[in-house]
Amino acid sequence: MTASDTGGYLSLAYKFPGFVDYIEQVTEEFREIYSNIGGSRPFCGLKAAVLNCWGKLRSWQPYMVAHALWYKQTYTYFGILEALSGAGVDVTFMSFDDIRSSGIPEDVDVIINAGDAGTAWSGGDEWLDERILTAVRRFVWEGGGFVGVGEPSAAERGGRYFQLADVLGVDKEQGFTLSTDKYHTKQADSHFITQDVLRDESGRLVLDFGEGMKNIYALGADTEIGEYSDHEVHLSAHPYGRGRGVYLAGLPHSHENTRLLIRSMYYAASKEKEMKIWFSDNLYCEVHGYPEAGKYAVVNNTSRAQSTVVYDGDGRGVSMDLGPCEIRWFDL
């Protein structure tokens, strides 16, 4: 029997008492989490449906594979799943076949479609099906939200590359309309989605779109541009009926981009006023409420001390200081 069969020799860990102490601390944290939650469901302020070709068939599977296999062409999609996995959001996975057979569930607040054109993540030619387009447009028009990342709804037809360009308010220049004037380039001074984004010394937003997406342009003056640089749009929002579409050029995983995605979803779903429930104004901290168990937890996700305002289930804020990596539990 080898060390790999037994999980490693205990004598090796014994030589590093600091490591053993840390494992003991982590184990106690898990015991505390389990005893406090007691199998209860956490509070979720939104229900998000990740739309791709697999739906529930694969669910979180691509997210798990991403830890072993890293590709720059897909890490934005995996970064979104990483962000959703720890957010106070109820996540479901929906395929294009699901929409054709059953439509979009009434309890969904926002649909997320992300990935490169022609892939199973974004959908490819599925976006040429009028039943899909009609269902998603109706969903947003009646008050739902749509968040597109990378090349959402991308399939060339009818002079459009993004088939939901009317929802998103942006499209991608493919070289066919280079001489068409593109007047709408003004970046908004401030926006709900970017309120937590840091700024550099010159006052510019510090955003990370990863590999990003080139040649995205706004279709009209009603497209709210959150970030514009190098003659292209990287972040925008657009009203569509009673709902909204939000576009992001890319979203690799980070604390900052997790908050950017959360704000994008709440804005797309027109639920900005409901965001500060079980919420931390410090993006490096999280608040998780468990109403069924009568508990809530405040978490510092960094190795540095943090100060934050914590909002409870009624939206009341209280200031709090947390030690590095601290998890603090409270009774409701």
Side-chain angles (χ1 to χ4, degrees):
M1 184 174 290
T2 67
S4 60
D5 295 323
T6 61
Y9 294 119
L10 294 179
S11 60
L12 295 178
Y14 183 74
K15 296 177 182 179
F16 300 93
F19 172 78
V20 174
D21 291 341
Y22 179 71
I23 294 302
E24 179 185 12
Q25 176 187 337
V26 172
T27 302
E28 288 302 323
E29 283 182 357
F30 271 99
R31 290 193 179 108
E32 184 180 31
I33 291 171
Y34 187 81
S35 64
N36 280 318
I37 294 175
S40 63
R41 289 177 58 84
F43 168 82
C44 293
L46 292 173
K47 183 166 185 178
V50 178
L51 175 61
N52 56 39
C53 287
W54 300 298
K56 294 182 176 64
L57 180 64
R58 296 189 71 180
S59 293
W60 299 97
Q61 184 180 352
Y63 159 67
M64 297 303 295
V65 172
H67 288 286
L69 302 174
W70 185 93
Y71 304 105
K72 72 176 184 179
Q73 292 85 354
T74 59
Y75 76 92
T76 276
Y77 179 82
F78 298 140
I80 292 170
L81 296 190
E82 188 93 44
L84 290 174
S85 68
V89 178
D90 187 5
V91 180
T92 186
F93 291 81
M94 183 170 60
S95 71
F96 296 95
D97 284 337
D98 291 334
I99 294 178
R100 276 187 283 264
S101 63
S102 306
I104 299 170
E106 293 183 358
D107 59 347
V108 169
D109 294 298
V110 60
I111 295 173
I112 300 173
N113 181 241
D116 288 346
T119 64
W121 286 282
S122 66
D125 287 348
E126 293 284 5
W127 289 108
L128 300 180
D129 188 337
E130 289 296 336
R131 291 172 294 177
I132 300 297
L133 292 172
T134 300
V136 176
R137 284 190 177 112
R138 180 185 296 117
F139 167 78
V140 181
W141 187 268
E142 294 178 351
F146 184 88
V147 175
V149 185
E151 292 181 299
S153 75
E156 186 71 43
R157 187 177 68 178
R160 286 286 178 231
Y161 188 64
F162 292 168
Q163 290 304 307
L164 291 179
D166 55 331
V167 174
L168 293 167
V170 296
D171 203 358
K172 182 176 181 179
E173 176 60 67
Q174 293 292 92
F176 303 123
T177 56
L178 287 173
S179 296
T180 301
D181 290 328
K182 300 175 177 65
Y183 299 108
H184 313 292
T185 62
K186 182 175 175 53
Q187 178 177 314
D189 294 332
S190 62
H191 197 280
F192 174 84
I193 295 175
T194 57
Q195 280 182 12
D196 292 328
V197 176
L198 300 176
R199 294 179 180 268
D200 62 18
E201 294 179 354
S202 65
R204 294 186 60 181
L205 296 172
V206 179
L207 290 160
D208 179 12
F209 299 108
E211 298 301 315
M213 190 57 57
K214 305 296 290 182
N215 305 318
I216 305 299
Y217 66 96
L219 296 177
D222 57 348
T223 299
E224 305 159 5
I225 300 177
E227 202 282 339
Y228 184 90
S229 58
D230 198 23
H231 305 287
E232 56 199 15
V233 176
H234 301 108
L235 169 62
S236 64
H238 181 253
Y240 189 76
R242 298 198 302 274
R244 292 168 175 157
V246 172
Y247 175 78
L248 298 124
L251 204 73
H253 179 64
S254 66
H255 294 299
E256 293 79 6
N257 279 350
T258 295
R259 178 59 60 89
L260 194 67
L261 178 61
I262 290 172
R263 281 190 167 273
S264 296
M265 289 189 293
Y266 270 94
Y267 189 76
S270 302
K271 290 190 173 183
E272 306 98 298
K273 295 181 180 179
E274 300 177 31
M275 189 182 72
K276 290 188 176 180
I277 296 177
W278 301 122
F279 181 81
S280 165
D281 73 343
N282 183 333
L283 61 86
Y284 299 112
C285 300
E286 294 177 354
V287 183
H288 300 280
Y290 297 89
E292 296 174 6
K295 300 276 188 177
Y296 70 96
V298 184
V299 184
N300 177 359
N301 284 320
T302 73
S303 57
R304 307 182 306 274
Q306 298 287 344
S307 297
T308 181
V309 174
V310 172
Y311 295 89
D312 64 15
D314 295 319
R316 293 174 300 213
V318 59
S319 298
M320 188 177 300
D321 296 319
L322 295 170
C325 302
E326 182 180 1
I327 302 176
R328 194 179 301 177
W329 289 90
F330 299 92
D331 293 322
L332 294 183

